[in-house]
Amino acid sequence: MKLDDIARLAGVSKAAVSLALNGKPGIGPETRERILQIANEHGYQPKTKTAPRDQQAGSITFLVFANSGIVLEQYYQQPFFRELIHFIEERCRAHGYSLLFSSVDMLNVQEGIRKVTDEKRSDGVILLGTNLNKELLEQVTDSMSTPFVVLDTCFETLPIPFIQINNVMGGYQAGKHLCGLGHRDIGYIASDIRIRNFDDRRVGFMQALRETRVELDEEKVFSVAPTILSSQDELKKQLSAYLDKGLALPAALFCECDYIAISAIKSLTELGFRVPNDVSVVGFDNISEAMIVSPELTTVHVEKERMAHLAVDLLIESIVSGAAVTSKIMVDTQFIERMSSRAPAPATATSLANG
């Protein structure tokens, strides 16, 4: 019995299982009890870890530029980042490093970076790059005095080590899935805040549609906040305005992240539409909530554990060698088909064929 087996039986992520077994916060009491019960019933025995070093090898800082857009002030409560941090902390501990946390004001980057590197006396920095553009990262490069790795974005022309999701691949997988099911009437729900990750996901999605000779009508592209898990009045307003024109709701919707997808499912339900009977919904990220929402969300799985391990290992290599390691590593995605997507209803397929 492995963590993956317990996660599958409990219907949760591997990170959630680890939190439960180690008595850490971050999951609800019912979920924790279910995980522990499954572990006990199957006689789970945790692997014996290598004895810790007498002294910590040093410390690594997880650095965040928080704002009101993608990476919120309470970023550690956002499902994607919460899981990522868990795996980073786990990997640091395995190498004998402690993990520190710090945030910087985006309006005063250089001073903030210097303060972090000087006061924390950290051996290295893992910088969350999700919401950072090329210009800001150039400022970081000029100000950083310790080894660092940027996680969750990539700019190919910058001499910086990056660990990035293969967002183009993930978007492509989502597009191929919907087209493979027979969908031709497809809509798109984008984030109203743009980052490199979302742009790349759209590139991959559009490539899949072009290969299948499916067009995405711009009238079927909607835009909403990317960090709200509940239904959104703005989305319901946009969908209602679309329907008021006498247009039929797209038979399938791709959403740029799971937050948007879960919000879309709830918004569609309130408008009287059934997922997936009336409309299929596909997300991106595979956060733990993707298996809690009803129906369970079809989505693109991001290898958060793999990304975290690569970031820590690359940074420690740079710390130990004393040389800047400027590799750029892209981690492929996996497509996860669940209950929120299905082939279009026969009536829809017939009308499309006649059209």
Side-chain angles (χ1 to χ4, degrees), residues 1-6 14 17-23 35-36 38-50 90 93:
M1 173 65 65
K2 300 179 180 178
L3 290 185
D4 290 331
D5 300 318
I6 298 175
K14 184 177 175 181
V17 173
S18 181
L19 291 174
L21 296 178
N22 289 289
I35 292 171
L36 293 176
I38 291 172
N40 289 332
E41 289 176 351
H42 290 80
Y44 172 75
Q45 293 293 331
K47 292 181 179 179
T48 304
K49 296 184 178 180
T50 303
E90 192 176 60
R93 189 165 57 247

Side-chain angles (χ1 to χ4, degrees), residues 309-335:
H309 288 188
L310 286 168
V312 173
D313 293 352
L314 188 62
L315 180 60
I316 292 176
E317 179 185 344
S318 182
I319 293 170
V320 172
S321 67
V325 182
T326 57
S327 301
K328 293 172 175 58
I329 302 175
M330 185 173 290
V331 180
D332 286 347
T333 55
Q334 296 182 33
F335 193 79

Side-chain angles (χ1 to χ4, degrees), residues 46 93 101 103 117 150 152 170 182 190 213 216-217 224 251 268 273 303 354:
R93 189 165 57 247
F101 297 88
S103 59
T117 54
V150 178
D152 197 31
R213 298 183 179 178
L216 177 64
D217 190 335
V224 297
L268 287 163
F273 293 98
E303 296 286 352
N354 293 335

Side-chain angles (χ1 to χ4, degrees), residues 53-126:
R53 302 178 187 182
D54 293 337
Q55 293 183 336
Q56 292 283 348
S59 62
I60 289 173
T61 295
F62 184 75
L63 180 60
V64 173
F65 287 74
N67 59 21
S68 59
I70 298 293
V71 184
L72 308 179
E73 290 290 341
Q74 292 79 29
Y75 64 89
Y76 45 84
Q77 295 180 357
Q78 293 177 254
F80 181 88
F81 302 127
R82 183 180 66 227
E83 292 180 41
L84 199 59
I85 290 169
H86 164 73
F87 291 125
I88 291 173
E89 191 169 25
E90 192 176 60
R91 192 66 165 184
C92 285
R93 189 165 57 247
H95 284 288
Y97 284 79
S98 60
L99 184 65
L100 309 174
F101 297 88
S102 188
S103 59
V104 170
D105 185 350
M106 295 188 75
L107 299 177
N108 201 342
V109 174
Q110 293 183 340
E111 181 179 336
I113 290 291
R114 290 194 187 99
K115 186 176 181 181
V116 168
T117 54
D118 291 346
E119 291 186 4
K120 293 288 185 181
R121 292 183 172 84
S122 177
D123 295 279
V125 171
I126 295 176

Side-chain angles (χ1 to χ4, degrees), residues 200-212:
D200 286 348
R201 291 172 192 182
R202 180 159 183 167
V203 168
F205 186 76
M206 295 304 296
Q207 181 180 335
L209 265 59
R210 284 193 302 271
E211 289 181 4
T212 320

Side-chain angles (χ1 to χ4, degrees), residues 67-70 190-195 198 223-227 256:
N67 59 21
S68 59
I70 298 293
S191 164
D192 60 7
I193 297 172
R194 305 311 301 166
I195 58 174
F198 293 154
S223 179
V224 297
T227 56
E256 287 185 330

Side-chain angles (χ1 to χ4, degrees), residues 63 113 116-117 125 127 139-148:
L63 180 60
I113 290 291
V116 168
T117 54
V125 171
L127 174 60
Q139 292 185 51
V140 170
T141 303
D142 293 337
S143 306
M144 194 74 73
S145 59
T146 58
F148 72 102

